[in-house]
Amino acid sequence: MEKAARKAGGRLRRDFGEVEHLQVSRKGPSDFVSKADRIAERTIYDELRAARPDWGFLLEEAGEIEGDPTKPRWIVDPLDGTSNFLHGIPHFAVSIAAQEPRLDGKGWGDVVAGVVYQPITDETFWAEKTRGAWLHDARLRVSARSRLDDALVATGIPFQGAGDLPQWVKIYSAFGPRVAGIRRFGSAALDLAWVAAGRYDGFWETGLKPWDTAAGCLLVREAGGFVTDFRGRSQPVCDSEVLAGNDAQHSKLHKLLVAALKD
């Protein structure tokens, strides 16, 4: 997984330099970025297919590719933070996760491994179920901050029909006056990795997809944190509703969120 992420990330890092030059072109960089996204996904697909030829895929661009139903599948986002990439902002990531099938054969179960790779900073966040979360060879732990007024919280703001903006405003209004700060950096995979690393104390967002969160959710859990939907339910992959944080912050943020959505 790390080999595939780094191979795709190296190409994205080179392409990112070209995007900065394309900002001044009449056509703009959109077509170039779309091509870079597809090439990165193909690179990851080829690497993982060679390693595990009977596993299936859930890919952001190409969709679902079925494999042996008794074997795991890969969940891949080749470029999380596309808008940042498009505008020359150096904050984006490659996200890859492995998810096992349910024992009863009905759908998919736990995510058992995940990698989030930031090409610009050359940071590899990775986790395996029951083996912990890591940044390179350093063990990750969620922050120990328990007071809301010490908490730095990340979010993603709904745009162009993605997510529920009125709901987001309610949650923001509940959290904003009580926390130390709220950040919106534009990559859910990195937001979750940074919760796992203790850089953020909490994170919430709606309207995401499994490839945005599969690796990041495992990172948070293996770093000692909690990831649920807005009802407090822990899912193998939380995507349409995500609330993450350490034990104390998740509990306090969830209470605020529930109260805000009742109004």
Side-chain angles (χ1 to χ4, degrees), residues 143-163:
S143 77
R145 287 179 285 271
S146 60
R147 291 168 53 96
L148 273 178
D149 56 6
D150 289 333
L152 188 63
V153 180
T155 188
I157 303 173
F159 64 97
Q160 296 182 350

PDB file of all heavy atoms in Angstrom, residues 143-163:
ATOM      1  N   SER A 143      -4.758  13.369  20.724  1.00  0.00           N
ATOM      2  CA  SER A 143      -4.366  14.333  21.749  1.00  0.00           C
ATOM      3  C   SER A 143      -4.950  13.972  23.105  1.00  0.00           C
ATOM      4  O   SER A 143      -5.965  13.272  23.200  1.00  0.00           O
ATOM      5  CB  SER A 143      -4.831  15.738  21.352  1.00  0.00           C
ATOM      6  OG  SER A 143      -6.220  15.887  21.593  1.00  0.00           O
ATOM      7  N   ALA A 144      -4.322  14.491  24.142  1.00  0.00           N
ATOM      8  CA  ALA A 144      -4.814  14.270  25.512  1.00  0.00           C
ATOM      9  C   ALA A 144      -5.636  15.446  26.013  1.00  0.00           C
ATOM     10  O   ALA A 144      -6.087  15.434  27.158  1.00  0.00           O
ATOM     11  CB  ALA A 144      -3.632  14.034  26.450  1.00  0.00           C
ATOM     12  N   ARG A 145      -5.833  16.448  25.165  1.00  0.00           N
ATOM     13  CA  ARG A 145      -6.606  17.618  25.604  1.00  0.00           C
ATOM     14  C   ARG A 145      -8.061  17.239  25.832  1.00  0.00           C
ATOM     15  O   ARG A 145      -8.698  16.635  24.976  1.00  0.00           O
ATOM     16  CB  ARG A 145      -6.498  18.740  24.567  1.00  0.00           C
ATOM     17  CG  ARG A 145      -5.133  19.423  24.551  1.00  0.00           C
ATOM     18  CD  ARG A 145      -5.063  20.511  23.510  1.00  0.00           C
ATOM     19  NE  ARG A 145      -4.948  19.958  22.175  1.00  0.00           N
ATOM     20  CZ  ARG A 145      -3.798  19.660  21.580  1.00  0.00           C
ATOM     21  NH1 ARG A 145      -2.660  19.848  22.223  1.00  0.00           N
ATOM     22  NH2 ARG A 145      -3.784  19.179  20.358  1.00  0.00           N
ATOM     23  N   SER A 146      -8.603  17.618  26.989  1.00  0.00           N
ATOM     24  CA  SER A 146      -9.969  17.242  27.334  1.00  0.00           C
ATOM     25  C   SER A 146     -10.914  18.435  27.419  1.00  0.00           C
ATOM     26  O   SER A 146     -12.129  18.259  27.370  1.00  0.00           O
ATOM     27  CB  SER A 146      -9.991  16.486  28.664  1.00  0.00           C
ATOM     28  OG  SER A 146      -9.466  17.290  29.707  1.00  0.00           O
ATOM     29  N   ARG A 147     -10.362  19.638  27.555  1.00  0.00           N
ATOM     30  CA  ARG A 147     -11.206  20.828  27.667  1.00  0.00           C
ATOM     31  C   ARG A 147     -11.604  21.328  26.279  1.00  0.00           C
ATOM     32  O   ARG A 147     -10.750  21.453  25.382  1.00  0.00           O
ATOM     33  CB  ARG A 147     -10.458  21.936  28.406  1.00  0.00           C
ATOM     34  CG  ARG A 147     -10.209  21.664  29.888  1.00  0.00           C
ATOM     35  CD  ARG A 147      -9.213  22.680  30.438  1.00  0.00           C
ATOM     36  NE  ARG A 147      -9.607  24.060  30.159  1.00  0.00           N
ATOM     37  CZ  ARG A 147     -10.274  24.851  31.010  1.00  0.00           C
ATOM     38  NH1 ARG A 147     -10.600  24.390  32.206  1.00  0.00           N
ATOM     39  NH2 ARG A 147     -10.589  26.091  30.683  1.00  0.00           N
ATOM     40  N   LEU A 148     -12.887  21.623  26.123  1.00  0.00           N
ATOM     41  CA  LEU A 148     -13.351  22.119  24.833  1.00  0.00           C
ATOM     42  C   LEU A 148     -12.678  23.433  24.457  1.00  0.00           C
ATOM     43  O   LEU A 148     -12.376  23.672  23.288  1.00  0.00           O
ATOM     44  CB  LEU A 148     -14.871  22.312  24.859  1.00  0.00           C
ATOM     45  CG  LEU A 148     -15.746  21.109  24.511  1.00  0.00           C
ATOM     46  CD1 LEU A 148     -17.206  21.468  24.644  1.00  0.00           C
ATOM     47  CD2 LEU A 148     -15.449  20.611  23.093  1.00  0.00           C
ATOM     48  N   ASP A 149     -12.417  24.285  25.427  1.00  0.00           N
ATOM     49  CA  ASP A 149     -11.825  25.575  25.091  1.00  0.00           C
ATOM     50  C   ASP A 149     -10.345  25.467  24.726  1.00  0.00           C
ATOM     51  O   ASP A 149      -9.727  26.453  24.327  1.00  0.00           O
ATOM     52  CB  ASP A 149     -12.040  26.601  26.215  1.00  0.00           C
ATOM     53  CG  ASP A 149     -11.517  26.148  27.562  1.00  0.00           C
ATOM     54  OD1 ASP A 149     -10.874  25.080  27.627  1.00  0.00           O
ATOM     55  OD2 ASP A 149     -11.748  26.858  28.555  1.00  0.00           O
ATOM     56  N   ASP A 150      -9.780  24.265  24.832  1.00  0.00           N
ATOM     57  CA  ASP A 150      -8.427  24.004  24.345  1.00  0.00           C
ATOM     58  C   ASP A 150      -8.426  23.311  22.986  1.00  0.00           C
ATOM     59  O   ASP A 150      -7.367  23.104  22.390  1.00  0.00           O
ATOM     60  CB  ASP A 150      -7.662  23.104  25.327  1.00  0.00           C
ATOM     61  CG  ASP A 150      -7.302  23.818  26.620  1.00  0.00           C
ATOM     62  OD1 ASP A 150      -7.162  25.057  26.592  1.00  0.00           O
ATOM     63  OD2 ASP A 150      -7.158  23.122  27.651  1.00  0.00           O
ATOM     64  N   ALA A 151      -9.599  22.926  22.498  1.00  0.00           N
ATOM     65  CA  ALA A 151      -9.693  22.038  21.331  1.00  0.00           C
ATOM     66  C   ALA A 151      -9.590  22.805  20.016  1.00  0.00           C
ATOM     67  O   ALA A 151     -10.253  23.829  19.816  1.00  0.00           O
ATOM     68  CB  ALA A 151     -11.006  21.270  21.369  1.00  0.00           C
ATOM     69  N   LEU A 152      -8.771  22.285  19.114  1.00  0.00           N
ATOM     70  CA  LEU A 152      -8.719  22.751  17.728  1.00  0.00           C
ATOM     71  C   LEU A 152      -9.439  21.709  16.880  1.00  0.00           C
ATOM     72  O   LEU A 152      -9.052  20.534  16.875  1.00  0.00           O
ATOM     73  CB  LEU A 152      -7.274  22.920  17.265  1.00  0.00           C
ATOM     74  CG  LEU A 152      -7.071  23.590  15.905  1.00  0.00           C
ATOM     75  CD1 LEU A 152      -7.585  25.028  15.928  1.00  0.00           C
ATOM     76  CD2 LEU A 152      -5.601  23.564  15.508  1.00  0.00           C
ATOM     77  N   VAL A 153     -10.488  22.135  16.191  1.00  0.00           N
ATOM     78  CA  VAL A 153     -11.384  21.211  15.500  1.00  0.00           C
ATOM     79  C   VAL A 153     -11.353  21.508  14.003  1.00  0.00           C
ATOM     80  O   VAL A 153     -11.332  22.666  13.589  1.00  0.00           O
ATOM     81  CB  VAL A 153     -12.823  21.354  16.043  1.00  0.00           C
ATOM     82  CG1 VAL A 153     -13.771  20.403  15.321  1.00  0.00           C
ATOM     83  CG2 VAL A 153     -12.850  21.080  17.545  1.00  0.00           C
ATOM     84  N   ALA A 154     -11.372  20.461  13.209  1.00  0.00           N
ATOM     85  CA  ALA A 154     -11.389  20.597  11.751  1.00  0.00           C
ATOM     86  C   ALA A 154     -12.762  20.249  11.201  1.00  0.00           C
ATOM     87  O   ALA A 154     -13.530  19.516  11.821  1.00  0.00           O
ATOM     88  CB  ALA A 154     -10.333  19.697  11.129  1.00  0.00           C
ATOM     89  N   THR A 155     -13.045  20.756  10.012  1.00  0.00           N
ATOM     90  CA  THR A 155     -14.318  20.475   9.363  1.00  0.00           C
ATOM     91  C   THR A 155     -14.157  20.600   7.857  1.00  0.00           C
ATOM     92  O   THR A 155     -13.113  21.014   7.350  1.00  0.00           O
ATOM     93  CB  THR A 155     -15.419  21.438   9.852  1.00  0.00           C
ATOM     94  OG1 THR A 155     -16.696  21.020   9.330  1.00  0.00           O
ATOM     95  CG2 THR A 155     -15.143  22.862   9.396  1.00  0.00           C
ATOM     96  N   GLY A 156     -15.193  20.208   7.152  1.00  0.00           N
ATOM     97  CA  GLY A 156     -15.313  20.460   5.726  1.00  0.00           C
ATOM     98  C   GLY A 156     -16.619  21.183   5.493  1.00  0.00           C
ATOM     99  O   GLY A 156     -17.656  20.777   6.023  1.00  0.00           O
ATOM    100  N   ILE A 157     -16.589  22.263   4.742  1.00  0.00           N
ATOM    101  CA  ILE A 157     -17.785  23.075   4.515  1.00  0.00           C
ATOM    102  C   ILE A 157     -18.514  22.569   3.268  1.00  0.00           C
ATOM    103  O   ILE A 157     -17.896  22.436   2.211  1.00  0.00           O
ATOM    104  CB  ILE A 157     -17.418  24.558   4.346  1.00  0.00           C
ATOM    105  CG1 ILE A 157     -16.638  25.044   5.573  1.00  0.00           C
ATOM    106  CG2 ILE A 157     -18.661  25.404   4.141  1.00  0.00           C
ATOM    107  CD1 ILE A 157     -16.079  26.447   5.420  1.00  0.00           C
ATOM    108  N   PRO A 158     -19.814  22.267   3.364  1.00  0.00           N
ATOM    109  CA  PRO A 158     -20.549  21.800   2.187  1.00  0.00           C
ATOM    110  C   PRO A 158     -20.480  22.811   1.043  1.00  0.00           C
ATOM    111  O   PRO A 158     -20.474  24.020   1.255  1.00  0.00           O
ATOM    112  CB  PRO A 158     -21.995  21.668   2.717  1.00  0.00           C
ATOM    113  CG  PRO A 158     -21.842  21.467   4.186  1.00  0.00           C
ATOM    114  CD  PRO A 158     -20.651  22.290   4.576  1.00  0.00           C
ATOM    115  N   PHE A 159     -20.415  22.283  -0.184  1.00  0.00           N
ATOM    116  CA  PHE A 159     -20.347  23.152  -1.361  1.00  0.00           C
ATOM    117  C   PHE A 159     -20.998  22.448  -2.535  1.00  0.00           C
ATOM    118  O   PHE A 159     -20.989  21.223  -2.632  1.00  0.00           O
ATOM    119  CB  PHE A 159     -18.896  23.488  -1.699  1.00  0.00           C
ATOM    120  CG  PHE A 159     -18.076  22.285  -2.106  1.00  0.00           C
ATOM    121  CD1 PHE A 159     -17.876  21.982  -3.441  1.00  0.00           C
ATOM    122  CD2 PHE A 159     -17.531  21.440  -1.157  1.00  0.00           C
ATOM    123  CE1 PHE A 159     -17.139  20.873  -3.820  1.00  0.00           C
ATOM    124  CE2 PHE A 159     -16.785  20.330  -1.526  1.00  0.00           C
ATOM    125  CZ  PHE A 159     -16.589  20.049  -2.862  1.00  0.00           C
ATOM    126  N   GLN A 160     -21.596  23.211  -3.428  1.00  0.00           N
ATOM    127  CA  GLN A 160     -22.165  22.724  -4.678  1.00  0.00           C
ATOM    128  C   GLN A 160     -22.989  21.440  -4.504  1.00  0.00           C
ATOM    129  O   GLN A 160     -22.823  20.465  -5.218  1.00  0.00           O
ATOM    130  CB  GLN A 160     -21.057  22.497  -5.712  1.00  0.00           C
ATOM    131  CG  GLN A 160     -20.354  23.776  -6.108  1.00  0.00           C
ATOM    132  CD  GLN A 160     -19.291  23.559  -7.172  1.00  0.00           C
ATOM    133  OE1 GLN A 160     -18.937  22.434  -7.499  1.00  0.00           O
ATOM    134  NE2 GLN A 160     -18.765  24.641  -7.724  1.00  0.00           N
ATOM    135  N   GLY A 161     -23.861  21.464  -3.531  1.00  0.00           N
ATOM    136  CA  GLY A 161     -24.750  20.330  -3.334  1.00  0.00           C
ATOM    137  C   GLY A 161     -24.180  19.196  -2.521  1.00  0.00           C
ATOM    138  O   GLY A 161     -24.862  18.206  -2.261  1.00  0.00           O
ATOM    139  N   ALA A 162     -22.911  19.281  -2.106  1.00  0.00           N
ATOM    140  CA  ALA A 162     -22.296  18.225  -1.300  1.00  0.00           C
ATOM    141  C   ALA A 162     -22.465  18.561   0.176  1.00  0.00           C
ATOM    142  O   ALA A 162     -21.992  19.586   0.644  1.00  0.00           O
ATOM    143  CB  ALA A 162     -20.812  18.090  -1.640  1.00  0.00           C
ATOM    144  N   GLY A 163     -23.156  17.699   0.917  1.00  0.00           N
ATOM    145  CA  GLY A 163     -23.384  17.960   2.328  1.00  0.00           C
ATOM    146  C   GLY A 163     -24.611  18.817   2.558  1.00  0.00           C
ATOM    147  O   GLY A 163     -25.296  19.250   1.631  1.00  0.00           O
TER     148      GLY A 163
END
